[in-house]
Amino acid sequence: MTAFAVTLLATVMLSLGSASAFATANGQSSARHEQLRVMSLNIFYGGDELDLATHDFCAKANGCPQTLRQIERVIRDAHADVVGVQESERNTERIASALGWYGSDRAHVMSRFPIIDPPGSNGLYVFVQMAPGRVVAVANTHTPSDPYGPYLVRDGGSLNKVLDLERKVRLPAVQDLIRVLPKLARDGIPVMLTGDFNSPSHLDWTPAVAAVRPEVRYPVAWPVSSALAKAGLRDTYREAHPDPVAVPGFTWTPGGPESDPHEVYDRIDWVLSAGPSRTIDSKVVGEVGGPDVGVGVSPYPTDHRGVVSTLDVVPAVPPVLVAPDSRRVTIGKALSVTYHAPGRRGEQVALLDGRGRVATAHPTSTDGNHDGTVRMSTKGLARGRYDVALSSGGKVLSRTPVWLYPKGEPTKVSVDKRRYKAGESIGVNWSNAPGMGLDWVSVFACPGGKCKDSSEYLVYTYTASAIEGHAKIGPHSIGSEDSWPLPPGQYVVRLLPDDGVLSVAQSAMFTVTKKS
């Protein structure tokens, strides 16, 4: 066989998702194939809000703890290795801990393998370390739910109106993933994307399906699934069950307090993969006896069925990196830092202060190991931002920020001014935030200067999981179509963690005045 033929064969095998082609093409013939079970699961408002007996909201002030335990059972019964969680509301790490797993509240991913939050990921993905120096990339998303496209179809909307809705509401939510994930796959890293996409798939709304499902009034090339497929992300459920007429695989909905009386059932929860991986199987996880349910659990504790896919992967060597186990640290506590290094003499992990000076340093392994963890002391260090840096021969190879705070320092939120003219954007600052994936800052009305915790949020923006940051809330923020410009009156800004509704900082009050 000629060299050209060998190259062509390897390229074809890689395009088909062959892990063995990846191992050969990258000179990693010693890399092992591994099976990985990846699950997507929307747990319904934190997993502790659904009464299992009535399938309604819990009346208890402290939620429904038995429901959270049932969520843990669902994950165990699915024999998942990695789970992307939607609507986790600060419970990702809590559930992971109960399972004896690792968890990331920033990425909303939990795993029985260690999780690395790599520099530059900006919370979009994590590395799951299946073995020292061998990783897969996992991302998780939850696109906006309202307005819901299938309801527009049901209510007589035209194809053009449906496509316009999807391109405006949901397609922007996956653009960062489309920008980042394909590059990881091209670099030879197996990539998985889990999510509640709140959109059907173009693979399901086909002419054949439209001929047999009355609610599918016409075929739709749904923009989110189409864009992700064009970017190289493969739908593992449809790879395992290619006929949407025979096996619809509906995940929305087994029922719940927010189900529409005239519901449109569909498959909106997916496990997608890219790069060197191969789908072996995929199952719907839901109520016992439910349609197409392959893993049945009773009672079933959420209003979405999950999906768990078994993949054949060859975990890849990660790029050189340094990753702290936390991005905010109480001064005096040790900071654990994971690294993947070239393995040369003289390498070290250091904390660099705001001027780039070494505050403390620790050598990496001197026996040629590329991977390891060091524990760094923060005792006596000043408050502020630092960079954790991996260096070799005096050159910084990788860095990522951390923030050090004295014990007891509260989370803070403030506004740039005490008074704003009507229509003027509100400048918001925060510090020592939880840094979870869906932390948000929002404006609440305070009529007559009386601010109620139960008042409705008006207009808001997400913090992009920043520990410290600044944002403008204004005419382009979420909710502005109904609430902007703010009428004259008194308001507060609150910082709320992970799509939850309980503020974690003292409110910042301001006044809106009439335009002069």
Side-chain angles (χ1 to χ4, degrees), residues 265-287:
Y265 299 100
D266 225 306
R267 189 177 67 91
I268 63 175
D269 303 85
W270 314 328
V271 174
L272 308 181
S273 66
S277 66
R278 180 175 61 87
T279 300
I280 297 173
D281 189 22
S282 186
K283 291 184 172 71
V284 170
V285 182
E287 73 282 18

Side-chain angles (χ1 to χ4, degrees), residues 287-358:
E287 73 282 18
V288 172
D292 298 327
V293 168
V295 178
V297 182
S298 181
Y300 189 68
T302 173
D303 64 343
H304 283 248
R305 299 184 186 99
V307 58
V308 60
S309 296
T310 305
L311 304 173
D312 179 283
V313 301
V314 177
V317 176
V320 170
L321 61 83
V322 62
D325 66 348
S326 176
R327 293 181 299 131
R328 64 171 183 167
V329 184
T330 300
I331 295 171
K333 291 190 175 182
L335 172 64
S336 292
V337 179
T338 299
Y339 64 85
H340 175 73
R344 308 187 192 105
R345 289 182 176 275
E347 293 172 350
Q348 68 172 13
V349 175
L351 269 179
L352 308 180
D353 66 15
R355 297 182 179 181
R357 300 173 300 188
V358 175

Side-chain angles (χ1 to χ4, degrees), residues 2-156:
T2 67
F4 172 77
V6 171
T7 302
L8 179 61
L9 177 61
T11 301
V12 171
M13 291 178 70
L14 184 57
S15 70
L16 293 174
S18 167
S20 60
F22 159 71
T24 302
N26 288 275
Q28 298 178 2
S29 58
S30 61
R32 294 177 52 186
H33 289 254
E34 301 283 354
Q35 283 196 9
L36 187 68
R37 289 176 64 87
V38 182
M39 184 177 189
S40 182
L41 186 64
N42 181 316
I43 64 173
F44 188 78
Y45 294 135
D48 53 8
E49 293 292 330
L50 191 64
D51 190 310
L52 296 178
T54 64
H55 239 211
D56 205 343
F57 285 102
C58 274
K60 300 176 183 177
N62 61 347
C64 300
Q66 78 277 15
T67 312
L68 201 61
R69 290 192 294 271
Q70 193 67 4
I71 293 288
E72 296 158 15
R73 182 190 166 190
V74 169
I75 294 170
R76 288 192 180 99
D77 286 1
H79 301 292
D81 298 311
V82 178
V83 183
V85 185
Q86 303 89 45
E87 296 190 26
S88 56
E89 294 193 5
R90 298 184 289 173
N91 279 337
T92 302
E93 292 185 10
R94 178 182 175 184
I95 297 169
S97 177
L99 293 167
W101 284 17
Y102 303 87
S104 169
D105 277 325
R106 187 185 191 194
H108 301 126
V109 171
M110 63 182 75
S111 167
R112 69 182 183 89
F113 301 105
I115 290 175
I116 299 171
D117 187 351
S121 71
N122 297 319
L124 285 175
Y125 66 91
V126 292
F127 287 145
V128 171
Q129 185 175 249
M130 296 183 67
R134 298 285 176 173
V135 302
V136 299
V138 180
N140 179 67
T141 192
H142 188 189
T143 71
S145 60
D146 187 60
Y148 186 47
Y151 292 166
L152 179 57
V153 176
R154 177 198 63 192
D155 297 338

Side-chain angles (χ1 to χ4, degrees), residues 14 56 71 84 113 141 158 202 207 245 271 287 328 334 379 383 439 485 491 494 501 513-514:
L14 184 57
D56 205 343
I71 293 288
F113 301 105
T141 192
S158 68
H202 68 290
V245 174
V271 174
E287 73 282 18
R328 64 171 183 167
K379 187 176 181 180
R383 178 195 185 280
D439 290 355
Y491 299 87
R494 294 174 180 151
V501 294
T513 63
K514 294 181 180 180

Side-chain angles (χ1 to χ4, degrees), residues 237-445:
Y237 190 80
R238 276 291 162 250
E239 287 188 318
H241 308 282
D243 186 349
V245 174
V247 188
F250 296 152
T251 60
W252 178 257
T253 171
E258 295 186 331
S259 298
D260 192 281
H262 305 288
E263 193 57 74
V264 180
Y265 299 100
D266 225 306
R267 189 177 67 91
I268 63 175
D269 303 85
W270 314 328
V271 174
L272 308 181
S273 66
S277 66
R278 180 175 61 87
T279 300
I280 297 173
D281 189 22
S282 186
K283 291 184 172 71
V284 170
V285 182
E287 73 282 18
V288 172
D292 298 327
V293 168
V295 178
V297 182
S298 181
Y300 189 68
T302 173
D303 64 343
H304 283 248
R305 299 184 186 99
V307 58
V308 60
S309 296
T310 305
L311 304 173
D312 179 283
V313 301
V314 177
V317 176
V320 170
L321 61 83
V322 62
D325 66 348
S326 176
R327 293 181 299 131
R328 64 171 183 167
V329 184
T330 300
I331 295 171
K333 291 190 175 182
L335 172 64
S336 292
V337 179
T338 299
Y339 64 85
H340 175 73
R344 308 187 192 105
R345 289 182 176 275
E347 293 172 350
Q348 68 172 13
V349 175
L351 269 179
L352 308 180
D353 66 15
R355 297 182 179 181
R357 300 173 300 188
V358 175
T360 183
H362 196 293
T364 62
S365 173
T366 57
D367 58 5
N369 281 346
H370 298 274
D371 301 278
T373 300
V374 300
R375 288 176 61 81
M376 309 188 71
S377 173
T378 64
K379 187 176 181 180
L381 297 182
R383 178 195 185 280
R385 172 185 161 151
Y386 292 74
D387 278 353
V388 179
L390 171 67
S391 63
S392 178
K395 181 180 179 181
V396 174
L397 305 179
S398 178
R399 67 169 70 209
T400 191
V402 296
W403 284 263
L404 270 58
Y405 297 100
K407 183 178 180 180
E409 176 166 329
T411 300
K412 299 175 183 177
V413 62
S414 63
V415 289
D416 288 345
K417 301 189 300 184
R418 297 294 300 273
R419 304 178 77 84
Y420 294 88
K421 295 178 181 178
E424 187 179 1
S425 294
I426 314 301
V428 183
N429 306 282
W430 64 89
S431 65
N432 200 10
M436 297 182 182
L438 292 173
D439 290 355
W440 54 304
V441 285
S442 181
V443 173
F444 294 77

